Every structure is written in structure tokens, then in C-alpha cells.
Amino acid sequence: MFNLAWRNLSQNRTQFLLGVGGVALALLLMLTLDALLAGSEEDLVAYIEQSDADIFVAQAGVKNMHMAASAITWRDLRLAEHNAEVISASPILYTTSVVNAGDSDVLSYIIGFDPDEPLGGPGEVAVGTAVLDTDEVIIDDAVARSQGLALGDEVEIMGHNFTIVGLTHGLTNIVNSVSFISLRDFQMLRPGDAVSYALLDVAAGADPVQVAAAINDRNPDVLALPTAEFSREERQIIRDMSVEILNIMNLSGLLIGLAVTALTLYTSTLRKRQEYGVLKAIGARNHHLYSVVAAQAALSLLLGFVAAIGLVWLLGQIIPLAVPGMGLALTRTGITRVLISTLIIGVAAALAPAWQLARLDPAQVFRS
Amino acid sequence: MSYLAFRNLWQQKIRLVLSVAGVALALMLIILLNGFLSGIYAQVTAYLDNSPADLVIAQEGITNLLSATSLLPAGVVDQARGVPGVARVTPIVSQFTIFDLHEEKVVAYMVGYEPGQGGGPWQMKNGRFPTSDDEVVLDWVMAANHSIQIGDMLDILDETFTVVGLSDDTNSWMASFFFVEKRAAERLLLTPDATSFVLLTLTPDADINTVTDRLNRRLRDVEIVSVETMRQNDLDLLVQVFAAPLQLMVTIAFAVGTAILGMVIYTATVERTREYGVLKAVGAKNYHLYWLVAQQGLVTAVLGALIGIGLAWLAAQTIMYNTPKFLIVLEPKRVLLMAGSGLLMGLLAALLPARLVARLDPAQVFRK
């Protein structure tokens, strides 16, 4: 049955490629948006997850960095530090601003950190140094590449010129990048008594969940979250903002995939009408013929699915080179969703040809 | 030739319906995606679009309203008031905030304004403006989505506010606006007496360039930007964010539509090989046959485009009815352009079968 199904499908190579290609592209529609969003999630939490911090302390009620503002006092920071299991509490100042490089503006989180503190700066500097002096900045290599910048070049942040002394990697997402200046420079640009967040390192063997709970109990003006939970809260922003659009895209992809698969099966069934008539004439039952159609559907969808996965992977390699910060990441949820859609398409698309075969009169086939 | 093309298509009605459906769905998706984007652009510039201001004063280096956080030096408001040509000075404090409502992250843009000085909601659906520093006006769509009514309490950065009004035309898919008194915003952000932006309305006879020069002479460490420029900067940054993903999805949808059309036209051509051979044998030139094939592609594409436009309009109305936070703007010129891409699909889809027909040897056809 599968052998017959394969031969039916592949007899004409061009039609086969167009059919499988159409299915692959329809499934690609569903996979791509999910992969784009998953890629954005990864990029969004890169600073948090690369920070080596065990706990993030923010203003009470603040559970995010992206599109959020937080302000805690130095007293709040010292209170958090005065916990037996906290080794260090490093302050950062944070804002969203624009890095101006020549004619272009790049939206960026600006993080002011103290180079003498163990936490707060970039997790890793790919090129140059992480030790910042006055009027020095570390930017992401994706921004440097897109704006034609290198170590030693100058950029303008909040009206002040900074010299690039280091480049990070992987801290640019589709919306913005992350740039680092010294805490002192930040305070000069934006005077104030508060800090934005405190990054805590806890002792080996200590449970960050319990330490965070203790900090929250002692000081109701702050919210301490273990890094894993803080990162989860951050990822949720992307998911909650995009769930409806994702549903619309999935539905569109499902319907288009259905149309393409139904077309492929219908066309190949029609082409083999005489052969099916012969089979019926020599005793094949309808369910035998349905099984051939079902096998064709399964084969073309399986090949389309594999091709779609391959295309997403390929796009994931090419696109970041062309559009810095735009990454694609395949997720289990996305693949599962597309698999289920593929099953639905397969069952629904086989209906038309099944109806064709049920109505097929062998005598008519021979007569025509 | 046209009659022949039509008959070729019409002979297999189910195939025609499936192919038109596939093309229509692909074009519907392209039109919808562009409509989404146009809607986002219209929504996010709503604050500046509805402000009577002519100029905006921002922190040095900041020329966007929504994308970057601005904090002005002390005294800017009073200094701006004294400049000839300035009729009204409206200071605001603004910041993105994230609500956690029913376990969903809801991004919103807080505007703290001084009652009586403007800068607040420009259209109310229900209720009143805030008259104390623990009252808030929410966007009605956001409120409706989360079953929030006037009189309900809402936590903003761990402080409790009473919802006293619901504003209209302040909603967007990305983030809705909400309004509090300026002193409330200062307190929430731990920035007493702070101002993010100052909106300036000029006297009717004032020249904007002259007033801008005066302001530049008087004020230090600020940016003075026309409302139009700031609005455009916000749009440009949005375009930067959304353009690449949009182009990717549109390209895939276009490729799907072309693959569907290609499969149909190619199959129809293969089935008619003998008839094309006969036509060639009786003297039809290749370009006659190309045109015959192309017409089939174009007819299917045109039908698909017309239905696709209808489907896009219907889908847009359905989506906006069910999810009011989305605004999908279908601009006639852009819709026609997108539909025109359907014709391109038809022409591209005809290329393969055109090659087939060109290589056709009438003698071979008769020998089979």
C-alpha cells in the first residue's frame, strides 16, 4: 500500500516537488512565527541568564526588566545583603534609551554597573574588556556589525559620547540591544538616589528560593525573585503579547496546508482514475483504495513536515546574519502544535479523494 | 485562446476550487499581516496624534516618546514657560509598566499628568479624570479584557489605585495607555519632582523654528523635537522591529500561493499534452501556448485575489470584534498592491508549464 502510494506521488517529479513543497511552506508558516517568538524569548532573557546572579531584587511589584521600571534604595540593597547566605549584592542602574552611532539610532537597554562588583556587568565579553572606565561603553557585536562599529569608535548615549572598549555576543534581540556603562557614568547622566535592581550571589548550598523569601519577609518595599523565576516572568511577556497572533497564524497555516494537501491528493487520485477503476473491477474494496489515499496523505505530509523543520533550521542559520538580533528557535510546543495540525490536515484532506473513489464506477472508467 | 484556457480550468471544478481557495488564503494572510502592521502604527502614535502640542522637550539624546525613557533636568518646565511663543506647557512623567492580571502579563504605558494642564486622556468612554494621587484612568478595552470596572481597585507597582475612569482610543495590541496624576507617577517611580517630557503648545502666530531656537538658547542638556518628528521616530523604530518578521511571513505566504498555482497549472498542462501537441502541429506558435498557460494562472490568481480580499476583510472584522485590542487597517491602495502580487503569483506559476509546452514535440505526442 505504501509502495503504491509512493509511486502515485512520485511519478511526476515536478508535481511531487510542488505538492510536498506547498505542504512544507504551509507548515513553515506555522513553525516560523513560533520559532521567531521563541528566539526572541531566548534573546530577551540573555542578560538575566548570563548574569551569574542567584537572585534579582527589584522594586515591590516589579517582576520584569523588559518594558518595566524599578527603583530601590541603597538601604533596600544593604538590607538584602545583610542575609547570612548572601555573599554579595551588586547594584545596577537600568533604563531604555537610544545608542546613536552616526546616522542610526539603536534602541538599547543601558545598564550601569560597578566594575568592582562581582555581578551586574556582561556575563562574557567576546572582544575587548569588561573593565570600564569613565566614558567607556560595552556594546553587543550584533550592533557593532550592523552599524559598522569597532573597538575605539564613539557612540552617543543620552547626549554623551562613549568609547567602545568591549563587545558582547548574544545580547541583541529583535527589539533592542544591551549596552553597558559604568554606574558612575549612569548616575552622572541620570542623577538620583535609587538603583534599579540588585543582583545577589548566595552561598554554595543555599537555596535561592528560601533566601529570596526571607528578603521579601524582611522588606516589603522590594521583591526578590530567584533568577530562574525572574527569567520565567520575563519570557511570559513575549508569550502573553503574542498568543492571539500566533493562533491566527496557526489557523491560516492549517487552512492553507489543508488546501495544498487536498489539492495534491485530489490531483493524483484523478490522474490514477483508470488504475483505481481496474483495481475495483478485479475486486478491491473501497477501504483498500482509501488506505492508498491515506498512505499518500501520510507520506506527503511527513515529507512536508520534515522539509519544514529543515527550512526553519536553515532560516535560523541565515537570518541572524542578515538581520542581527532576529533569531529562530524550534520548540517542542511549536513542533507538537504543527504535528497535530498535520494530522488534522491529513484526515480532512483525504476526504475529497475518498469521496471520488467511493463514487468510482469501474464500468464507466473503462467506457471513457 | 481565452475560451480554451477557461475550459481547461473549468473542467476540473474541485481542483479549481481548491487552488483558488489556496491562493485566496495565502493572499488573505498577506493582506491581514500588512493590516495588522498598519493598525499598530496607528495605535502607538495615538498619544502624539491627539496632543495639541507642537514641540516636545526630552532628555538630551532622546527623540522618541515610547521607545526610550527620558528624565529632564530640574527647572526645565519653568524655563520653557518663559519663552515667547509658548502658549502652554504640559509636563508629563511616562514609563512602560507591566501589570500581572489573571496570571497574564499586560504591558501598559503610564502617563502621569497634572490635571488642568493637559497631557491626560483625550477621550473618555466612562467615568471621570483622576482627582487624587491614588486614582487611575484605564483604557476601556484593557479593562474589559480583564473584567475591570469603575470603582475596582488595581495594583500598580505594589500600590493600590481606584479605577475612576475608562478612556477611549488609548488601546493598542502592544501596550495600552493609562493615566494617573503626575505626583502619583513620581511616587511610583521614586523620582520626586521628575518630568519625562514637556509638551509645548505654541501661540497661533508663533513660528515653530523661531521658538525652537529660543528654547535651544535657554535650555541645556535637552532635545527639542517637533511632535511630527517624534511621532515619525517612534514609527521608524517600530518599522525596524516589525519589518523583517513581516517580510519573512509575507514571503512564505507568497511562496505558498505560487506553489499552489504552479501545481494546478502544471497538472492541467500535463493532462493536456496531446491537445497542446495538436495545437502546435496545426501551427500554433509557442507564444500562443505560453499565453494559454499564463491565462489559466492569471484567472486563478484573479479569482483568488478577489476572494482573498473578501476573506481578509471578513477576518479583520471578526478578529477586531472578538479581540478589540487589535486594530487591522486595510488601506485600499495597499490592499490592491497586495492583490496585485497575486497576479505575479499567477505569472510565476506559469513559468514551469510554459517550459514544458515549449519543449513539446508534436510528433512525439502523436507517437504515444
Side-chain angles (χ1 to χ4, degrees):
Chain A
M1 172 189 56
F2 272 102
N3 190 32
L4 182 58
W6 171 250
R7 286 188 64 175
N8 278 353
L9 274 178
S10 59
Q11 192 178 27
N12 186 304
R13 200 183 308 173
T14 306
Q15 279 177 317
F16 172 67
L17 286 173
L18 284 171
V20 170
V23 169
L25 288 169
L27 297 179
L28 186 65
L29 271 175
M30 288 189 266
L31 276 171
T32 303
L33 186 61
D34 185 78
L36 271 172
L37 293 169
S40 300
E41 264 185 47
E42 291 302 319
D43 295 335
L44 195 69
V45 299
Y47 170 73
I48 295 169
E49 294 188 350
Q50 288 176 17
S51 67
D52 287 335
D54 294 307
I55 295 172
F56 274 73
V57 179
Q59 180 178 349
V62 177
K63 298 180 188 175
N64 298 93
M65 286 184 81
H66 184 67
M67 288 180 135
S70 168
I72 60 175
T73 64
W74 287 96
R75 178 180 171 275
D76 291 329
L77 186 143
R78 281 191 289 276
L79 271 176
E81 197 173 22
H82 283 165
N83 183 300
E85 289 168 314
V86 173
I87 296 174
S88 67
S90 306
I92 61 167
L93 283 164
Y94 161 84
T95 190
T96 311
S97 189
V98 171
V99 173
N100 183 274
D103 297 329
S104 298
D105 286 343
V106 177
L107 193 60
S108 181
Y109 296 155
I110 309 297
I111 294 180
F113 76 102
D114 186 346
D116 295 329
E117 288 282 343
L119 299 172
E124 203 179 302
V125 172
V127 178
T129 180
V131 180
L132 285 177
D133 210 339
T134 308
D135 297 341
E136 293 182 343
V137 65
I138 301 167
I139 66 171
D140 196 61
D141 61 355
V143 173
R145 205 167 46 243
S146 68
Q147 307 303 317
L149 298 169
L151 296 183
D153 287 342
E154 280 198 345
V155 295
E156 187 183 301
I157 300 172
M158 292 189 268
H160 196 80
N161 287 334
F162 289 85
T163 304
I164 301 170
V165 298
L167 300 178
T168 55
H169 180 71
L171 291 181
T172 297
N173 62 58
I174 198 166
V175 179
N176 58 262
S177 184
V178 182
S179 306
F180 299 87
I181 59 177
S182 72
L183 195 76
R184 199 172 303 128
D185 279 341
F186 196 115
Q187 286 169 323
M188 184 214 39
L189 292 173
R190 201 160 278 186
D193 293 328
V195 296
S196 303
Y197 300 88
L199 278 61
L200 271 48
D201 186 17
V202 303
D207 181 1
V209 174
Q210 288 183 353
V211 175
I215 293 170
N216 293 331
D217 286 340
R218 185 181 304 155
N219 185 358
D221 293 334
V222 302
L223 177 62
L225 288 176
T227 301
E229 191 177 337
F230 194 63
S231 174
R232 218 167 25 245
E233 295 281 346
E234 199 79 337
R235 287 171 187 272
Q236 200 183 333
I237 300 174
I238 298 275
R239 286 181 202 157
D240 289 345
M241 278 179 80
S242 58
V243 63
E244 285 111 341
I245 300 228
L246 203 57
N247 288 341
I248 292 166
M249 196 60 60
N250 283 335
L251 183 60
S252 305
L254 183 78
L255 291 173
I256 293 173
L258 185 57
V260 172
T261 311
L263 197 56
T264 307
L265 294 177
Y266 180 81
T267 306
S268 71
T269 306
L270 198 65
R271 204 171 58 237
K272 296 291 177 188
R273 210 163 153 266
Q274 281 217 330
E275 288 81 350
Y276 285 124
V278 167
L279 286 173
K280 256 192 160 178
I282 61 173
R285 298 263 188 240
N286 277 342
H287 69 261
H288 291 128
L289 306 184
Y290 295 161
S291 65
V292 174
V293 168
Q296 273 180 232
L299 277 171
S300 56
L301 286 167
L302 180 65
L303 290 169
F305 179 75
V306 169
I309 299 283
L311 281 170
V312 171
W313 178 85
L314 193 64
L315 286 173
Q317 307 306 307
I318 297 171
I319 284 174
L321 299 174
V323 184
M326 187 163 144
L328 280 82
L330 279 168
T331 64
R332 224 180 350 234
T333 314
I335 294 173
T336 308
R337 191 184 294 127
V338 170
L339 257 177
I340 293 171
S341 304
T342 309
L343 280 169
I344 296 171
I345 291 171
V347 167
L351 290 176
W355 177 74
Q356 268 179 295
L357 292 172
R359 288 177 52 216
L360 192 62
D361 178 359
Q364 290 287 341
V365 169
F366 285 113
R367 209 171 291 145
S368 63
Chain B
M1 279 298 167
S2 302
Y3 180 66
L4 193 55
F6 178 75
R7 282 196 64 171
N8 276 355
L9 280 175
W10 191 248
Q11 197 174 31
Q12 291 296 335
K13 294 180 189 56
I14 295 181
R15 187 172 65 194
L16 177 63
V17 164
L18 287 172
S19 58
V20 168
V23 171
L25 286 168
L27 280 172
M28 175 202 77
L29 191 58
I30 292 172
I31 294 169
L32 267 184
L33 285 170
N34 279 280
F36 264 123
L37 212 55
S38 299
I40 290 173
Y41 295 158
Q43 285 177 325
V44 294
T45 57
Y47 188 82
L48 289 176
D49 288 341
N50 288 282
S51 166
D54 302 291
L55 292 171
V56 182
I57 305 176
Q59 181 176 356
E60 190 174 11
I62 307 294
T63 54
N64 302 79
L65 180 74
L66 295 178
S67 327
T69 308
S70 169
L71 190 63
L72 287 169
V76 166
V77 177
D78 291 331
Q79 286 176 312
R81 275 206 179 98
V83 172
V86 172
R88 187 175 189 173
V89 175
T90 305
I92 62 170
V93 170
S94 60
Q95 173 65 50
F96 274 108
T97 317
I98 295 183
F99 292 107
D100 278 278
L101 298 172
H102 308 116
E103 295 179 352
E104 183 187 332
K105 298 274 178 201
V106 179
V107 181
Y109 191 75
M110 175 173 67
V111 176
Y113 72 106
E114 293 191 7
Q117 291 194 35
W122 49 92
Q123 203 171 317
M124 294 291 285
K125 192 168 175 72
N126 229 334
R128 60 173 175 81
F129 298 131
T131 53
S132 74
D133 65 354
D134 62 352
E135 294 179 343
V136 62
V137 167
L138 291 185
D139 171 72
W140 80 267
V141 174
M142 180 186 135
N145 281 345
H146 297 280
S147 306
I148 299 171
Q149 295 173 341
I150 291 177
D152 286 349
M153 311 302 273
L154 181 71
D155 277 345
I156 304 173
L157 293 175
D158 223 42
E159 280 196 31
T160 304
F161 284 72
T162 307
V163 179
V164 298
L166 301 176
S167 57
D168 199 3
D169 195 28
T170 46
N171 160 62
S172 90
W173 159 69
M174 279 176 48
S176 298
F177 292 92
F178 71 98
F179 303 88
V180 296
E181 284 197 355
K182 186 168 175 288
R183 52 189 171 140
E186 291 169 20
R187 190 180 68 240
L188 288 171
L189 300 176
L190 290 185
T191 49
D193 298 320
T195 300
S196 303
F197 299 95
V198 176
L199 311 174
L200 300 177
T201 310
L202 306 187
T203 55
D205 57 347
D207 175 64
I208 192 169
N209 294 321
T210 307
V211 176
T212 305
D213 287 341
R214 288 180 191 144
L215 286 163
N216 276 319
R217 281 197 295 272
R218 184 175 289 205
L219 303 173
R220 291 279 173 267
D221 302 327
V222 298
E223 293 286 342
I224 297 158
V225 186
S226 72
V227 161
E228 189 46 51
T229 301
M230 187 163 266
R231 182 187 173 281
Q232 190 58 50
N233 289 345
D234 273 340
L235 277 179
D236 289 346
L237 266 169
L238 270 182
V239 168
Q240 224 175 289
V241 169
F242 288 108
L246 173 74
Q247 278 162 11
L248 179 62
M249 305 307 293
V250 164
T251 304
I252 297 172
F254 184 84
V256 171
T258 309
I260 292 172
L261 265 179
M263 186 163 56
V264 166
I265 309 304
Y266 185 85
T267 305
T269 308
V270 163
E271 284 174 356
R272 297 277 172 216
T273 312
R274 279 180 75 91
E275 286 81 355
Y276 286 122
V278 167
L279 285 173
K280 256 191 160 178
V282 300
K285 301 281 187 213
N286 272 346
Y287 67 81
H288 289 130
L289 304 182
Y290 292 160
W291 182 225
L292 183 58
V293 167
Q295 278 178 97
Q296 291 174 66
L298 288 171
V299 164
T300 313
V302 166
L303 287 173
L306 290 172
I307 295 172
I309 292 173
L311 282 177
W313 180 86
L314 200 62
Q317 302 309 308
T318 307
I319 291 167
M320 287 191 288
Y321 179 78
N322 287 310
T323 321
K325 70 177 176 181
F326 287 122
L327 175 66
I328 303 172
V329 176
L330 303 182
E331 296 159 6
K333 272 190 200 159
R334 288 181 71 88
V335 168
L336 282 174
L337 194 65
M338 299 298 123
S341 70
L343 296 181
L344 186 60
M345 271 187 215
L347 288 172
L348 283 173
L351 285 177
L352 257 174
R355 263 194 62 198
L356 184 73
V357 154
R359 286 165 33 208
L360 201 56
D361 178 0
Q364 290 289 340
V365 169
F366 284 112
R367 211 168 287 146
K368 279 188 198 165

